[in-house]
Amino acid sequence: MLSALGNPRQAAAQIMNFGLILSTAFMMWKGLSVITDSPSPIVVVLSGSMEPAFQRGDLLLLWNRNFLEETAVGEIVVYNVQGKDIPIVHRIVRKFGTGDKAKLLTKGDNNNADDTELYAAGQDYLNRKDIIGSVVGYIPFVGYVTIMLSEHPWMKTVMLGIMGLVVVLQRE
Amino acid sequence: MASQEKITVYNLADLKNTSDDALTNYLTSLKFTQTHRLTDVRLALGYSAFALSAACFAWDYKFGFEQTKYCTAVAVAIYTILNSFLTFWIFYVEKGTVYEGTSPSGQTAIKVSTSTNKNDPVYRVTVEVKDKKSGKKEVIKLEKEFREWFDVAGRFVAVPFQSVLATGVPAIGEVDTKRVQGAAESKKNETVTAAYTPELLEALANAGVVGSAGESASGTDAKKGGKRRKA
C-alpha cells in the first residue's frame, strides 16, 4: 500500500482523488449558494427561540429569491446582525414599505419581546439585504453534528485527517 | 522473495492492484518504454478542477459572497464541465488501461488493460498490440486465476506471472524468451501423465498378468479408472 507512494504519478493521482472529494463538496455548496442567492443556504438552529416550530440542532434550507412575491409578514427568515456572524432565525412581524427599501421587524416565536434589542446599536429595523434567506424546508436534529464541530473545533481536524488517510491508502 | 509484502488473498482489489503494479514493473524491466499520456491528461484535468475550486474559495473568503456571486457561478459551471469530462475520460478513454508503451525495438506499441468481475478471482487482461510499421492491430485476451501467481499466504510470485504474459502475448515473449513456456511444457503442468497407457494395460491383460480374460477386461477398466481419478 505504501509502495504506491514510490511512484510519483500514482502518489499524485491518490492525492488528486482526495483533493477532488473536498473540492466537489465545496463546489456543490457554492452551487447551491448561487442558485438560492444566499451566502449560506443551509443553517443550523442554535437557540430555542423558535420553539415549538424549530428545535436547537435542526437543519434549515433557505431560499433568497423573490420570484413570485416579496418577503412578507409571517415568513420565517434568517438574518445576520450587522457586524456579527451569527445567523438568527426569527419570524417577520412588521413590514413598512415595499421592495428593497422596506423595513422589517422580526421576533422569535418563543421570545417575549421583539428583536429590537438584538439589532446593532441605533438600528430599529432590518433591511431586505440583511436577510440571507427565507426558510423553505427543514430536517430535524441533523444539525447537531455542526454544533458539536463548532463547539469542539479539534473534531474537524480529526475527521479530515481520518478521511484523508482512508482515501490515500485505499485504491479501490 | 525475502521481505515480500503479503496481501489479503480474499481482497480482489488488492490482488488486482498488486498484479497491475507487477505488470508495469515487469514490462519496464524488459526495457519497454511507457507513455504516460493517459495518466497525464487525467492529472491535468483533476488538478485544474481542484485549482479552480481553490481559487473560488480564496476569492469568496476575501471578498465575501455578494461581490463574487457571478464569478462563483461561472466557476461552478466550469468545474462541473471539467469534472464531467474527467469522469468521461476515466470511463470511456482509459477503460481500465494499466500500461501503455512501446517495445524496446520501437516496432510495436502495446496497450494493456485489466479488469476483474466482482467476487470472481480471475484476472482478465486485454492486450492491444499494434505494429508501428504495418499498422496492423491485434487484440489478445488472457484470463487466468490469481492463484497461479499468489501463494496461499498472499505473497506474489513473479515467475509464473511473467510466464503467463510472455506465453500469452507474442510481443512480450519475443523480448523475454526465458519465460515463454512451450506448448508441451504447459500441457505437462496441466495434466499428470498416466504411468499406464490403455494400450499397455491391454497388452498386460492379454499376457495374463492381471488374471483371467473375463476379469481382465473389468480389471483394466478399474485400473484405468483408478489412474484417471488420480490424474
Side-chain angles (χ1 to χ4, degrees):
Chain A
M1 93 192 143
L2 282 174
S3 63
L5 300 177
N7 180 346
R9 275 201 175 73
Q10 214 164 71
Q14 299 280 86
I15 294 173
M16 182 184 91
N17 283 342
F18 178 61
L20 279 183
I21 293 178
L22 290 182
S23 64
T24 304
F26 176 72
M27 278 314 207
M28 284 184 0
W29 168 260
K30 276 285 150 228
L32 189 61
S33 196
V34 165
I35 294 172
T36 60
D37 199 25
S38 167
S40 175
I42 301 179
V43 297
V44 177
V45 177
L46 297 173
S47 69
S49 58
M50 281 301 285
E51 290 185 12
F54 299 128
Q55 323 292 328
R56 183 170 138 93
D58 287 351
L59 203 73
L60 301 177
L61 309 167
L62 305 182
W63 179 259
N64 203 22
R65 293 186 192 274
N66 291 106
F67 282 145
L68 298 174
E69 51 178 17
E70 282 183 26
T71 316
V73 170
E75 267 186 53
I76 303 178
V77 296
V78 178
Y79 65 92
N80 281 327
V81 175
Q82 272 170 6
K84 299 207 192 107
D85 209 10
I86 314 167
I88 301 181
V89 188
H90 284 165
R91 198 183 294 273
I92 297 181
V93 292
R94 292 261 168 87
K95 181 175 175 184
F96 296 93
T98 52
D100 280 341
K101 299 267 182 52
K103 294 187 192 292
L104 307 157
L105 180 66
T106 58
K107 175 184 174 298
D109 288 350
N110 210 18
N111 290 346
N112 287 330
D114 59 33
D115 289 350
T116 317
E117 286 179 12
L118 289 174
Y119 299 157
Q123 185 189 13
D124 288 328
Y125 289 98
L126 285 179
N127 296 315
R128 173 65 182 84
K129 65 172 174 54
D130 292 327
I131 293 175
I132 58 173
S134 319
V135 178
V136 290
Y138 84 110
I139 305 173
F141 205 66
V142 174
Y144 239 107
V145 177
T146 314
I147 292 182
M148 275 209 292
L149 284 179
S150 61
E151 287 181 5
H152 309 277
W154 54 267
M155 283 175 74
K156 269 192 234 172
T157 331
V158 167
M159 246 180 62
L160 225 61
I162 295 178
M163 255 177 61
L165 270 176
V166 165
V167 173
V168 169
L169 294 179
Q170 210 187 43
R171 272 172 67 195
E172 286 195 42
Chain B
M1 309 286 151
S3 60
Q4 268 248 318
E5 274 183 35
K6 279 192 277 193
I7 61 162
T8 318
V9 290
Y10 303 110
N11 185 342
L12 194 58
D14 266 356
L15 290 171
K16 179 179 184 297
N17 289 333
T18 315
S19 307
D20 290 344
D21 291 341
L23 195 148
T24 308
N25 288 341
Y26 174 50
L27 289 176
T28 314
S29 73
L30 290 180
K31 305 278 183 292
F32 275 74
T33 20
Q34 188 175 11
T35 54
H36 290 111
R37 183 184 65 107
L38 290 174
T39 317
D40 286 346
V41 169
R42 180 199 234 197
L43 287 177
L45 279 176
Y47 274 106
S48 53
F50 182 73
L52 182 63
S53 86
C56 190
F57 176 77
W59 68 53
D60 181 71
Y61 190 73
K62 206 157 179 239
F63 297 116
F65 177 70
E66 283 299 313
Q67 283 166 310
T68 55
K69 258 199 296 204
Y70 298 108
C71 275
T72 308
V74 171
V76 170
I78 298 179
Y79 183 87
T80 316
I81 295 174
L82 278 177
N83 231 3
S84 323
F85 193 63
L86 177 65
T87 312
F88 162 79
W89 182 265
I90 293 177
F91 268 111
Y92 290 110
V93 180
E94 272 197 20
K95 255 198 291 216
T97 306
V98 294
Y99 186 89
E100 202 183 355
T102 27
S103 63
S105 59
Q107 286 279 52
T108 26
I110 183 172
K111 183 170 163 183
V112 185
S113 48
T114 61
S115 69
T116 50
N117 290 340
K118 203 165 175 205
N119 297 331
D120 186 15
V122 172
Y123 193 50
R124 294 163 205 276
V125 184
T126 310
V127 184
E128 279 177 33
V129 183
K130 184 166 138 179
D131 191 296
K132 282 206 176 162
K133 263 204 265 181
S134 61
K136 203 165 54 96
K137 268 202 212 173
E138 194 193 343
V139 179
I140 304 166
K141 285 196 200 261
L142 299 171
E143 274 180 22
K144 290 278 173 183
E145 299 203 11
F146 283 107
R147 62 176 172 79
E148 299 207 12
W149 55 82
F150 282 103
D151 70 8
V152 79
R155 278 180 282 258
F156 176 77
V157 187
V159 176
F161 181 66
Q162 293 172 357
S163 355
V164 163
L165 289 173
T167 323
V169 185
I172 303 179
E174 282 166 4
V175 186
D176 191 12
T177 48
K178 252 194 316 171
R179 294 271 181 260
V180 177
Q181 262 182 340
E185 255 190 66
S186 50
K187 263 266 153 18
K188 190 166 76 159
N189 289 343
E190 285 171 30
T191 62
V192 175
T193 45
Y196 289 103
T197 62
E199 295 78 20
L200 179 59
L201 288 171
E202 284 214 25
L204 285 173
N206 291 340
V209 175
V210 203
S212 69
E215 269 183 59
S216 65
S218 48
T220 50
D221 275 25
K223 265 236 156 41
K224 278 200 297 193
K227 277 294 169 214
R228 285 258 173 76
R229 239 183 281 127
K230 250 213 275 186

